[in-house]
Amino acid sequence: MTDLVTDYFNPKCINLSYTIGIIKPDTCMKEQNIQDIVNKIEDEGFIIKNMIQRQLIKEEVLNLYYKHLKQEYIDQIVEYMLSGECCVILMCHETENPIEKWKNMIGHKNPETAKQTDDKCLRAIYGQDLIKNELWGSDSPDDANKERDIFKFTIPQKIPEFHFDKMKISIETLFKFIYPPNQEHPSVNERLDLFALYGPAVNYHSVDQCLCNPCARIGKELLEQVRQEKIVKEKIKLGLSIRNDANLKKFAGSMSTKKAGINKDEKVKVAPIRLLQEEHIQQIYAQFCEKCKFHVDNYAHLTGGRDGQVVLTDQEIKGMGYDLNKEELLDLLTIEKGNAAKNMIQKIPIKEPDNLIYNKELIKILFQELDTDYYERYDFYDIQQMILEDRRIRMTSWISQLVSKPVDRFKNPKLIDPTLTQKQKRNIKNVNFTLERTLPLSMTIKKQEIKNVSTDLPPSIIDKKKLQDNELSIALEQKLHRHTTHTLTIDQLNQQATSRQTVTLIRDNYNEGRHGNWNNYSTFKGMQKGTYVKSKNYPVNHEFQ
């Protein structure tokens, strides 16, 4: 663990237990004495966090000896402590109780007794009598805390060790999942909701789906080592003998299991591991190609399948989001419209209205009241509670627009119970947590006006003259996304029904809009009327048969 050296208290760090030691005036007069004592302190494993050498004032001495104020010798103690400089030390110990450890080092308060019990203790070496025993030590954690306040020392802390934990989510990891680089306009709200319902999304990557063949082989070798380590741990746990499985495999084809000396009861099966976790990626990251490095740096995945060893594709996520919204809309419409809901759900688009869509700023605002650890990671359950409660508000606003009913007419089910207190409602850890606002953030927070826009934008990968091998597919996807549009709708009129079909066209200039020139054209065969498509090589409204 790393020590934290700051002049302020950080609630996200770990407080260290500590003690206060004081070297009194007669011993403090010689610099060599101070140096010798400090060396012994460090040799015993103490870590000195703060140390001052100065003349104490009377109030400080009286506060130190508050337990002895009614004793006859208090005046002698005060007089002696004010007779010269003292050295005050705040120290910690990583493995032992610092208060008890320091007490044992300085010895009994009476130097004569200290010499009889342990002639190597500090009071036996430097002490003269009960008043001039030369060393001070805190009696308890409460006393150490009071003494620390007397000298205005900060509480010693250390930075907690970083551990990979999939239940600790940073906002960067969340954005990797919501805004994957291969999608220019992802379904933000759907991905946000799926993250809460089927998450957490993690920086795990499949050796079968995410990596190229050479990098996948490197990953598979590491995962096989991890699997073998799990087998050994399971055998130790079950009290089975550990053998060299690699050597046993050589005899598998030539002799029976019994002759090879393999006991069937000692076989431990561990399912194959297909996902590289964050700690695994850290070990082999330098061996990855640039394309795979880009992938593991910029993507986060939902996992599924057997033992969660498969990452969900974008198509699967899109389908899950569609089904989720459709099912909940149907339930809400059934409450409002009864049996007519099934007919309505077939006609309405299952896509959240634009005024309900969130962006990065709104997502950050949504989580701004949640606590994080030292590494700015949220607890997944806190994020989950917040997203699901916000989804309730968004779905209520969506259904209110569909049925033309004011949002205020929809009741919050968590506010029905009158016995719930405000503390219960606002506590994210409580099952009754709720947001009292009725509108989603996208409708309550005003967009900031753009005053100054920087024109120094980084060049797009599409506009680069030379592309590397790993950039070709990315540039192609972005170019198709930029230049492909669904604009032309063709009606085929029949006597019984009307069907609509959409043509996808590629245009030269993104800014030409609907009436620009097109590179290609489409036609539908079997139609009584021709299709009218604007093309670069043909006049407007040219008819193709």
Side-chain angles (χ1 to χ4, degrees), residues 20 45 104 124-126 217 286 308 351 372 384 393 404 410 426:
I20 298 292
N104 292 333
I125 298 172
Y126 299 101
R217 282 195 294 270
K351 181 182 178 183
T372 61
Q384 186 182 50
I393 296 172
S404 301
F410 294 89
R426 294 177 181 175

Side-chain angles (χ1 to χ4, degrees), residues 67 79 335 405:
K67 296 179 181 179
E79 182 182 358
I335 296 173
K405 181 179 176 180

Side-chain angles (χ1 to χ4, degrees), residues 488 505-506 512-522 531-542 544:
L488 187 62
L505 300 176
I506 299 179
E512 286 184 357
R514 176 170 181 171
H515 302 291
N517 293 326
W518 304 99
N519 289 336
N520 58 356
Y521 62 89
S522 299
T531 59
Y532 296 85
V533 182
K534 192 173 182 181
S535 175
K536 178 187 294 186
N537 301 323
Y538 296 93
V540 178
N541 292 340
H542 184 83
F544 298 98

